[in-house]
Amino acid sequence: MNSARALLLSGGPDAVTLSAVAADIGVTHANLIHHFGSAAGLQTSLMGSMVDDLNQALDAAVTRLRTDEGAPLELINAVFDAFSEGGAGRLAAWIALTGDLTHLEPVRDAVLNLVNVIMEKMGEESPEARRRIGSAVLFIALSAFGEALIGPILRTMLDQPDDAGRKVVASLLPQFIQKPDPS
């Protein structure tokens, strides 16, 4: 899977072929067909592996949120890292473009768990809190997705540092999570 992931990250979904993976790891094309059955089997296996990695990153962020007051920025970093270096941004784009959203079902549980842990940490259990925190998680994920796909290009155009997107999200996040002022 490491070879297939590297091909995805360097060349996009079209680069993940049985021939390319076979050449990269020094086996025959037939050997990979025997193991995965088809290119679709290889791609499904890669998606599953990467979804597992994304879930682990989210779970690690959730664990940290439960134990550390300084964790919000760490949460943002964990999600951004998973989407960029971990390849979840390219994976999500690939899954969305294929239209087979069943691969994202395991992520659903991890995302909902993240919302629940943030609610626990804030001591809030209301539909309004769930909506606000869900909006915050959506904001983080969409920002991390965009950063993974086009962030380096936009940052270069705008002469921004590598962590500019993360800092913007961290600075805006409190607006999503804070209770509305009743006045």
Side-chain angles (χ1 to χ4, degrees):
M1 281 302 106
N2 291 339
S3 173
R5 181 186 300 241
L7 288 167
L8 173 66
L9 294 176
S10 67
D14 291 339
V16 183
T17 66
L18 289 170
S19 297
V21 172
D24 189 51
I25 63 174
V27 301
T28 66
H29 182 269
N31 192 338
L32 285 183
I33 287 177
H34 174 73
H35 187 71
F36 293 105
S38 65
L42 168 68
Q43 293 166 353
T44 295
S45 183
L46 174 60
M47 287 180 189
S49 171
M50 292 179 75
V51 165
D52 288 346
D53 290 349
L54 176 58
N55 280 339
Q56 288 176 10
L58 291 175
D59 286 345
V62 163
T63 299
R64 191 64 196 268
L65 268 175
R66 284 191 165 123
T67 60
D68 184 5
E69 288 300 318
L73 182 57
E74 199 159 315
L75 168 66
I76 291 167
N77 286 333
V79 174
F80 271 64
D81 288 347
F83 272 79
S84 58
E85 288 91 26
R90 289 220 181 206
L91 173 68
W94 186 14
I95 289 171
L97 290 171
T98 65
D100 185 1
L101 303 181
T102 59
H103 292 288
L104 292 177
E105 194 56 35
V107 176
R108 180 181 186 277
D109 293 335
V111 170
L112 293 176
N113 187 38
L114 179 58
V115 170
N116 291 334
V117 168
I118 295 171
M119 287 179 67
E120 288 171 19
K121 185 141 184 97
M122 294 179 64
E124 291 192 57
E125 292 292 329
S126 70
E128 173 58 25
R130 181 167 295 284
R131 187 200 60 74
R132 284 193 334 270
I133 294 166
S135 294
V137 170
L138 176 65
F139 176 60
I140 294 168
L142 288 174
S143 298
F145 177 72
E147 171 67 28
L149 294 183
I150 197 165
I153 295 165
L154 288 174
R155 285 193 319 273
T156 299
M157 286 178 192
L158 298 169
D159 194 28
Q160 294 291 308
D162 288 347
D163 63 349
R166 294 170 192 233
K167 286 183 176 178
V168 168
V169 171
S171 69
L172 294 174
L173 194 58
Q175 295 176 37
F176 285 94
I177 295 179
Q178 291 173 356
K179 290 181 185 179
D181 186 5
S183 57

